[in-house]
Amino acid sequence: MKRILLIIAIFLSVCGKSVAQYNFDRMLNAGRIALSYSDYVLSIHYFTQIINAKPYLYEPWYLRSLAKYNLEDYIGAAVDCEKAMELNPYIVDMYHLHGICALKQKDFDRAIKDYDKAIEMQSNSKPYWYNRTLCYLEKKDYDKVHENVDTITKRWDKSAEMFLLDAEAYLNQKDTVKGEECIRKSLEIDEHNGRAWEFLGLINLGHGNWRTAENDLTKSIHYRPNYAKNYLSRALARVNINNLRGAMADYDKTLEIDPNNVLAHYNRAILRMQVGDDNRAIQDFDFIVQYEPRNVMARFCRAELHENSGNIKKATEDYTAILKEMPDAWNVRLKHASLCEKAGDLNGAIDDYTVILNEFPGSWSVRMQRAKLYRRMGQNNKADLEEFNIANEQNDKHFGINTQQRWSKAKLNEVRKRSEIDFSKYKLLIVEDSVEVEHEEVIKEEFTGIRGRIQNRYADDRFLDQILISDEEAAADSLLQSPIVNYNNGCVEANEVRYDEAIESFSKAIELDPRFDRAYFNRALALIKRGRKEEALKDLSKAGELGIVQAYGLLKKYSK
């Protein structure tokens, strides 16, 4: 009898094993299909189930890493890829993917190590060489860039992109002659390369060859019509050849492609000021100040526009904000004092004049203006004293007597440095100081589709709600330290802006239930509120992995 039971047990175990294996294979194929159709969230769901059941298999870790990469969760993708590499260190594509994740996170040293290993395993892969050279370029190790480019061009004669990396390195070294030489070589190989024409356009902009720069950038735009910075650069060339209508069209196109481009908003506002379109210029400055509240240039220009239109209140608010950032901007303080006078705030104007006189006690015009304000306020004694001091100083100067305290040369230079802030320069167009182009890292083509990138529709950064349970359940669970009770406590604390306490409560919930997706998501938001972005991104990655789709939208939003 025992022998029969043993045979039955062995038979059932074998059958169970085959069924489990069959389910695993089917689930892996389903995940692959979802991945190939760019349904990344669904594929993560399949691969996670396999990982939970069989964590010793490298393939689901690697495939889940690819899905996370396509959702721009580079932190989570790197973690999964590391696990896959640990389980199977002989797959070259994993080092490639891990290297790209490091590139996206600007960890160039780690990326170089990955590509060193990938090139050791497969030395004839041009993408690996290209990405490693790009890492050296980002690290500003230009000698290594030239060394890698020389190796690659000897091995692969025609490599337009490598010549462009070499050109960028030379341009960053201020060697425009060699840089242009490399660009010309790139165009000999591929005359339709938009980035090469962009480089030439930027060089000609730097040299002031406006028409040539416009032609080069027009060619670049023809080949790369959706790259916003080319329109921004061409607008500068067009302004300098007095093609204002064309420049305005370029700024409009830049903002159509990239609505949050502050530089385009600022330059368009300046151009609108020049053609007298003040109301729409104010709209652009409003956007900039909302996006960058500490942008002094935009505030100064907007203040002047408000002042010219008679809106004294708003102009005063902008000058006040500037003085908080730059208390030594004496010309702004004079403007602020003048507006305070017009608005009837005589005490505010006197305070401004006093600050100026503390630094420049010999400024008789400012002292006379303060005396007039004292007299308007009925403080005749102060006004008489002010006028008496001015008369004495003028007499002393007439007779060659210097009663003013002499500043040392160092003090004089310091005051000049702080006071010589030329705000008229803020009415000029702003240009990029350095060559900055868009590089594309290479990864398997079948995983680069755009379908399924649902994170753009789910970027809501509100805390998730509490989980409703009865008072009796809450009382019973609190004795057992339930994760739900801790989570709900964290929700209350977060909504009351007690973020440190909320983080502690969500952490307790996660400690009790390591797969509590809502707790990861809410803790991430609380961490963001406390300025701990790196920790928050890890929590968002985990929340997305566990099924909270909007976590990927926030990953994209806060990882920039």
Side-chain angles (χ1 to χ4, degrees):
M1 184 67 179
K2 289 181 180 180
R3 191 171 179 183
I4 294 172
L5 290 174
L6 181 61
I7 292 171
I8 292 172
I10 293 172
F11 174 77
L12 291 174
S13 67
V14 170
C15 290
K17 184 177 179 180
S18 64
V19 170
Q21 186 66 42
Y22 171 75
N23 289 338
F24 158 72
D25 290 338
R26 187 170 62 178
M27 196 174 297
L28 186 63
N29 286 333
R32 282 180 169 279
I33 291 169
L35 188 60
S36 65
Y37 280 98
S38 301
D39 292 328
Y40 305 122
V41 173
L42 179 61
S43 67
I44 288 172
H45 172 72
Y46 285 126
F47 298 136
T48 300
Q49 289 190 54
I50 299 170
I51 288 167
N52 291 338
K54 299 188 175 185
Y56 49 84
L57 297 173
Y58 85 91
E59 194 172 13
W61 288 100
Y62 170 58
L63 294 175
R64 191 173 74 174
S65 177
L66 277 171
K68 288 182 178 181
Y69 170 85
N70 280 282
L71 285 169
E72 300 182 35
D73 175 12
Y74 305 122
I75 294 174
V79 171
D80 282 353
C81 201
E82 284 168 12
K83 184 64 178 177
M85 289 156 62
E86 179 185 324
L87 292 169
N88 187 349
Y90 305 108
I91 307 296
V92 68
D93 285 346
M94 295 195 296
Y95 293 96
H96 183 25
L97 176 60
H98 194 260
I100 291 180
C101 291
L103 257 172
K104 295 291 188 181
Q105 297 176 76
K106 301 189 183 304
D107 187 350
F108 303 116
D109 289 321
R110 191 180 72 180
I112 288 170
K113 289 181 181 178
D114 286 324
Y115 284 111
D116 284 344
K117 184 67 176 178
I119 290 168
E120 180 186 323
M121 297 171 70
Q122 190 174 323
S123 62
N124 61 345
S125 174
K126 193 191 300 184
Y128 302 164
W129 284 89
Y130 176 87
N131 283 1
R132 187 174 70 173
T133 308
L134 177 58
C135 291
Y136 285 125
L137 181 64
E138 295 290 352
K139 285 187 65 181
K140 297 181 171 54
D141 189 347
Y142 301 126
D143 290 336
K144 281 286 188 182
V145 173
H146 302 317
E147 180 185 322
N148 274 258
V149 171
D150 288 343
T151 303
I152 293 167
T153 50
K154 286 175 182 175
R155 183 172 295 187
W156 297 282
D157 293 334
K158 295 185 178 181
S159 182
E161 291 300 322
M162 293 308 303
F163 279 121
L164 284 183
L165 288 184
D166 213 17
E168 189 172 350
Y170 281 123
L171 292 176
N172 288 333
Q173 291 175 297
K174 310 300 182 187
D175 188 345
T176 55
V177 174
K178 286 189 177 179
E180 189 168 351
E181 184 182 325
C182 290
I183 296 167
R184 297 292 179 190
K185 287 180 181 178
S186 175
L187 286 171
E188 287 174 8
I189 298 168
D190 179 11
E191 64 176 337
H192 307 296
N193 191 312
R195 289 180 59 237
W197 289 111
E198 177 193 345
F199 272 50
L200 282 181
L202 292 175
I203 290 173
N204 283 307
L205 277 181
H207 291 161
N209 301 327
W210 309 117
R211 290 197 178 277
T212 307
E214 183 194 19
N215 292 334
D216 290 338
L217 290 165
T218 299
K219 289 179 181 178
S220 180
I221 287 169
H222 177 73
Y223 299 120
R224 304 179 75 196
N226 295 319
Y227 188 53
K229 286 187 178 180
N230 284 341
Y231 293 97
L232 193 60
S233 300
R234 189 175 68 175
L236 178 64
R238 286 179 165 177
V239 167
N240 282 279
I241 59 176
N242 206 31
N243 182 3
L244 301 186
R245 181 176 293 180
M248 192 72 76
D250 277 342
Y251 288 132
D252 291 340
K253 184 64 178 179
T254 302
L255 292 169
E256 180 186 321
I257 298 170
D258 181 9
N260 295 328
N261 192 309
V262 173
L263 198 61
H265 275 289
Y266 185 84
N267 282 357
R268 187 173 71 174
I270 296 296
L271 197 57
R272 284 173 168 174
M273 285 177 68
Q274 292 175 4
V275 299
D277 191 357
D278 291 353
N279 288 332
R280 292 208 293 174
I282 289 173
Q283 290 176 4
D284 275 327
F285 288 130
D286 285 343
F287 174 87
I288 297 168
V289 172
Q290 183 181 2
Y291 202 76
E292 295 182 353
R294 300 177 67 181
N295 191 315
V296 174
M297 296 186 294
R299 281 192 180 275
F300 183 82
C301 292
R302 188 175 71 171
E304 285 206 329
L305 290 172
H306 283 314
E307 186 178 354
N308 293 338
S309 67
N311 195 335
I312 304 300
K313 182 181 178 182
K314 287 191 175 181
T316 305
E317 288 174 358
D318 277 330
Y319 287 137
T320 302
I322 292 170
L323 290 171
K324 285 181 181 178
E325 296 293 326
M326 305 172 66
D328 297 329
W330 313 118
N331 46 358
V332 175
R333 196 168 288 280
L334 280 170
K335 282 178 170 287
H336 185 264
S338 175
L339 291 182
C340 286
E341 282 188 58
K342 290 179 182 178
D345 182 10
L346 303 186
N347 283 321
I350 288 172
D351 289 342
D352 281 330
Y353 291 138
T354 301
V355 171
I356 295 170
L357 288 169
N358 287 340
E359 196 71 61
F360 305 99
S363 178
W364 296 334
S365 59
V366 175
R367 193 178 291 277
M368 183 61 75
Q369 193 64 28
R370 188 170 69 172
K372 289 179 181 178
L373 294 182
Y374 281 141
R375 201 168 295 286
R376 284 176 60 184
M377 295 177 67
Q379 299 178 16
N380 293 325
N381 291 335
K382 287 186 175 181
D384 291 340
L385 180 61
E386 199 83 87
E387 291 167 355
F388 177 75
N389 289 334
I390 293 170
N392 278 342
E393 289 174 11
Q394 288 175 337
N395 285 331
D396 289 338
K397 184 178 181 182
H398 179 73
F399 292 108
I401 302 171
N402 185 10
T403 59
Q404 295 291 334
Q405 180 181 358
R406 292 182 64 85
W407 282 340
S408 67
K409 188 174 181 180
K411 173 69 173 175
L412 187 62
N413 289 336
E414 178 201 340
V415 172
R416 281 178 178 168
K417 184 177 179 181
R418 289 189 288 117
S419 61
E420 291 173 354
I421 300 170
D422 186 2
F423 277 90
S424 65
K425 292 180 180 177
Y426 289 1
K427 296 182 182 179
L428 302 177
L429 299 178
I430 302 177
V431 297
E432 297 281 358
D433 291 332
S434 60
V435 175
E436 185 177 342
V437 295
E438 190 179 67
H439 300 287
E440 295 180 0
E441 303 83 22
V442 185
I443 195 168
K444 282 184 174 293
E445 290 298 326
E446 60 264 30
F447 298 123
T448 57
I450 60 170
R451 183 177 159 213
R453 293 197 177 191
I454 57 173
Q455 75 272 28
N456 292 329
R457 289 180 274 148
Y458 294 91
D460 192 354
D461 54 0
R462 291 180 297 177
F463 288 96
L464 298 178
D465 295 331
Q466 300 180 48
I467 297 174
L468 297 178
I469 56 175
S470 66
D471 294 339
E472 293 79 8
E473 289 174 316
D477 285 346
S478 62
L479 298 175
L480 302 173
Q481 285 293 301
S482 165
I484 294 178
V485 170
N486 282 289
Y487 168 78
N488 286 346
N489 290 340
C491 291
V492 172
E493 290 155 356
N495 289 320
E496 292 177 354
V497 198
R498 293 185 286 138
Y499 298 124
D500 290 327
E501 296 173 41
I503 291 168
E504 188 176 343
S505 295
F506 292 134
S507 297
K508 288 179 181 176
I510 291 167
E511 185 180 343
L512 293 165
D513 181 2
R515 297 185 59 77
F516 200 156
D517 51 0
R518 286 169 167 255
Y520 281 107
F521 185 86
N522 279 4
R523 186 173 71 173
L525 292 183
L527 287 166
I528 287 168
K529 299 291 186 184
R530 302 301 298 155
R532 296 158 62 180
K533 193 172 80 169
E534 292 301 320
E535 297 171 73
L537 293 177
K538 292 178 182 178
D539 275 353
L540 287 172
S541 175
K542 187 67 176 177
E545 176 187 311
L546 293 171
I548 296 187
V549 175
Q550 59 264 48
Y552 292 112
L554 294 180
L555 264 169
K556 182 177 181 180
K557 178 179 178 179
Y558 290 111
S559 61
K560 293 182 179 178

